[in-house]
Amino acid sequence: MTSLDSPPQAVPGPVGPTVPTGAAGKQIPPAAVARLTIYLRALNSLLAEGTERVSSESLAELSGVSSSTLRKDLSHVGSYGTRGVGYEVQYLSRHIAAALGLTHDWKVAIVGAGNLGKALARYGGFESRGFDVVAIFDADQMVVGNEVGWLRVSDVADLEAVLERTGTNMVVLALPAAVAQSICDRVVGAGVRSILSFAPVMLQVPGGVTLRKVDMATELQILAYHAQRAQTPGQPE
């Protein structure tokens, strides 16, 4: 099942302004972008341990990829390794973060204060990775005004005004399918161009808007497929 640390599935459609670019301004392939987030997580763990340098082999092992894949991916952001010495952890971490756009000021709003929305709002990993959750919304008047972490749930009727006041530039949709498209349209109309959707429905967005979808049911189905193969003799993973 997709976790908060897993890269979400891409939704086919127009490429928006948040697609990372690497050396010489070239667009980084989506698969490499997903792996760069894993490298960054490994590098940040090494920084926390006080490690100053790491070899490509060690970083690849920590990230679960081959050394050749890692080196190819890092070539998209420029090669910062030294033969026989390895990579300077802090330097490489900064450059990957810059390529991913994590040096910008990202303000995130969550629409939907159900169990999932509340869990996302309370997730401590966002702030440490450059994302500031600034608002959470719901339509249920029994929920509006309640506190979730340090946030107070806003009425979705005030969506546009709160998004403007907080300077929100990313929105997470944790909504039922029936209302997801209408809320998505309002978010886009308010000027937000980066949307992450947990809604169990395919949403339509105009060009210039980047939409990512996390489909946990699909991830479970894929997991079931691999579990079934593992239980069947003679079926390699």
Side-chain angles (χ1 to χ4, degrees):
M1 182 168 64
T2 301
S3 74
L4 294 176
D5 286 329
S6 302
Q9 295 177 308
V11 176
V15 174
T18 59
V19 175
T21 55
K26 294 181 179 179
Q27 184 175 314
I28 302 174
V33 173
R35 289 191 293 268
L36 284 172
T37 67
I38 298 172
Y39 306 152
L40 183 59
R41 182 172 59 195
L43 288 166
N44 287 339
S45 294
L46 290 171
L47 281 174
E49 296 169 359
T51 302
E52 296 182 356
R53 289 191 173 273
V54 62
S55 67
S56 59
E57 291 78 12
S58 295
L59 183 55
E61 184 178 354
L62 286 170
S63 305
V65 301
S66 67
S67 296
S68 60
T69 296
L70 180 135
R71 286 191 291 268
K72 182 177 180 180
D73 289 341
L74 294 183
S75 71
H76 294 296
V77 297
S79 178
Y80 305 105
T82 303
R83 184 179 297 275
V85 178
Y87 298 95
E88 185 181 339
V89 174
Q90 188 172 37
Y91 189 70
L92 182 58
S93 174
R94 284 202 309 267
H95 278 79
I96 293 177
L100 293 174
L102 301 182
T103 55
H104 295 282
D105 187 16
W106 298 115
K107 296 186 181 297
V108 181
I110 299 169
V111 185
N115 290 335
L116 176 58
K118 289 177 182 176
L120 291 170
R122 291 172 176 146
Y123 177 56
F126 288 138
E127 186 175 0
S128 65
R129 299 179 190 185
F131 301 95
D132 183 14
V133 180
V134 296
I136 183 169
F137 299 88
D138 206 272
D140 187 345
Q141 295 304 306
M142 298 294 291
V143 175
V144 172
N146 291 347
E147 292 186 356
V148 178
W150 63 274
L151 295 170
R152 191 174 298 277
V153 180
S154 298
D155 193 329
V156 75
D158 302 323
L159 179 72
E160 290 83 356
V162 176
L163 293 181
E164 181 178 5
R165 175 172 56 79
T166 56
T168 295
N169 47 22
M170 282 189 178
V171 165
V172 177
L173 302 178
L175 297 166
V179 299
Q181 185 64 61
S182 62
I183 296 297
C184 181
D185 292 342
R186 289 178 61 191
V187 167
V188 172
V192 177
R193 294 294 179 263
S194 300
I195 301 170
L196 176 64
S197 175
F198 285 84
V201 63
M202 292 298 294
L203 300 176
Q204 301 298 317
V205 295
V209 175
T210 301
L211 172 69
R212 302 278 294 176
K213 185 179 189 320
V214 179
D215 190 334
M216 289 185 279
T218 296
E219 294 297 323
L220 285 171
Q221 289 168 344
I222 294 171
L223 188 62
Y225 165 77
H226 289 292
Q228 175 181 263
R229 288 178 63 83
Q231 294 169 7
T232 304
Q235 293 290 328
E237 280 295 291

